[in-house]
Structure formats: C-alpha cells, structure tokens
Amino acid sequence: MHAIILVGGRGTRLQPLTDTRPKPMLPILGRPFLEHQLEHLKRHGVTAVTFACGFLPSQIVSHFGEGESVGLKLTYVIEPQPLDTAGAIAFAARTLEPQRLLVCNGDVLTDMDITHLIAEHERLGAAATIALTPVEDPTRYGLVRTGERDAVLTFLEKPTLEEAGDDRYINAGTYVLEPEVIAMVPHGVRCNIEREVFPALVGKRLHAIGFDGYWNDIGTPGSYLQANIDLLDGADSWVDESARVHANATIGSGAVVGPGVVVGDGAIIERSVLLEHVVVGRGAYIADSIVGERAVVSDGQRIEHGDVVAPGSAPEPV
Ligand code: GTP
C-alpha cells in the first residue's frame, strides 16, 4: 500500500515552535513525530510513502532521505504554493500511477487499526473511506454522521453541543481514496478535502468507520504536550541520555527533557517538554509548558500554565 502524508501546513497553532521546524518534525519523546507515524503505517502494511510538503520541506527530506533507516520507500513532492489538503493530496497523487491510496495528516498520533480501515473500504466497495474517532468535545471539529452500511450522511462543521446531540465521531485525518476521488480535485488551486471534496461525495460511495483507540492531533500546544505525556506509557518522566541534570534538580512527573538540555541546581520541571539544548537556570520552575529548542530559562524564572517559550539561541554545551 502506498500512503501520502500531508506535511505542508504552516502549523500556526504551534507557533513559535513551528517557526523553525515543520510541525511533523517536532519530537515526541526525543524522536520526530513522523518517525512514530511511519512505524505505525509500516506495521499496517504500508511499503511506500510520498510526503506532500510545503513549509520547510528540507528538514524532512534531510532527516528521512529515501527511507533506508525506516525501511520504507520514501518520496517527496513540494507544492509551489500551499494547495490545502485536497489540492496537496492530488498534487502528490498525480506524481504516482493511479492506485488506491492511504492518506494521513502528518500530525495525528494514533494506534488506529489501519489494516481494518483498508479491509472495510474494500468490503464496502467505497470510493473514499474516512476514519472517525470519538472526542469528548466535538464543537471545535467536524462531526461526521453515518447511516446504513457506514455510508456518510452529513458533515457538521464545528457544531454546538445541542446540534451534536449524542454524536461524538469526528474526521480522524486518515482516509482511503480511489483514483476517481483524486480526479475530482481541480489542478493547481486550493481545495479542502473536508469542506469541498467529501461533501460532494455524500451518497456516492463515501463511507466512514469509527475507531475507539488512541488518537491525538498534536496541532495545539496542549495536545502536543499531552502526546509526549501519553507516550511515556507508564513511566514517570523521560530524560534524553545526553541531557545534563544537576543532582539537586527535580525531574517531576510528566517531564520530557530533550537531547543536550542542561538543568541547573534546584530547578523543578513537571508536565513539560523541553526541546533540544534548552538551558534551565538555577531554581527555575517549569510546569505544564513547552520550551523551544535552545531557549534559555533564567535563574529563578517561572514558566507555567501552558506557556510556550520561543526557540532561542543557547550555544551547544561543550
Ligand atoms: P494550523 O495552521 O495550526 O491549523 O496547522 P496546519 O497548517 O498543519 O493545518 P491543519 O492542522 O488543518 O492541517 C492538517 C494536515 O494537513 C497537517 O498534516 C498539515 O501539514 C497538512 N496541510 C494543511 N494545509 C496544507 C497544504 O496547503 N499543503 C500541504 N502539503 N499540507 C497541508
């Protein structure tokens, strides 16, 4: 199976972390998010991936190359200007032989059973099959309602709780598409898959399947932090082996301390992600926050309540 991963978005909700690197390259427990995603796809039979790139593509290309280190055949397409989701999918798909494609957003951490999604797509004879995931609060997402044989009936963009009723299933950012769907997308102009392509397919072999496992869109500071904490998988904290933590510092519950970080005497870190080469001064307190790479946290400074500290220019320690 060939997959297309969308990695071209600007990632505005994660700025300023995404001013210096594309969202899919942000680390989860010290490894780029995309490494976790590629491992998951490989477990479900994906053998080749085309990245649909836009913003800062060179970091992705130079990290993964042709895919030797991940055991997948990797290729890249770079849009001349952002084409939005459907535009980007079609731009990438048109570089390949027409075929059934798995399409994934490059910012969803999930253990979804993609093998089952593809099998259901086949069984239903679908033109497109959307994976759905339940969320507690559907009001900031698009709800998808299905009927007989999992056929999509309606899309409800950002519904109120009253409009949503008991429905909780939203588009999970993972699809199986037949070539006829790619053919619907106009060439070279912005086109959105959720708002333009899928609504036009309702009643025309558009299906959706719900999955109840782990699903987290890492696109906001809160969900990015949560993805790191979730991946601790029972461990209390995670500290990269190259970090230097003072013996009197406290690495508390939910702390994720990246490569090359230096933590000073008496500093406390809890439920926070410190990206590469952050320098934390003596007695600093960091909680429920994210600190961008090479940022310098001063002695005694408090960073808390969901702060996002911009990447800085701390030198690599010798
Ligand atoms: P925000 O600006 O914070 O909304 O993030 P985003 O730009 O990543 O947008 P969003 O989270 O809605 O995008 C969902 C997925 O589509 C992500 O994996 C993006 O990288 C990708 N994406 C969004 N727009 C484009 C685009 O124009 N081109 C490409 N290639 N990918 C896109």
Side-chain angles (χ1 to χ4, degrees), residues 6-14 23-24 52-54 79 81-85 88 104-107 190 217 219:
L6 293 171
V7 292
R10 181 65 187 79
T12 50
R13 289 165 298 161
L14 277 171
K23 174 168 61 175
C53 304
E79 290 148 49
Q81 75 269 345
L83 293 173
D84 206 343
T85 45
C104 304
N105 285 358
D107 58 1
R190 289 180 68 85
D217 164 356

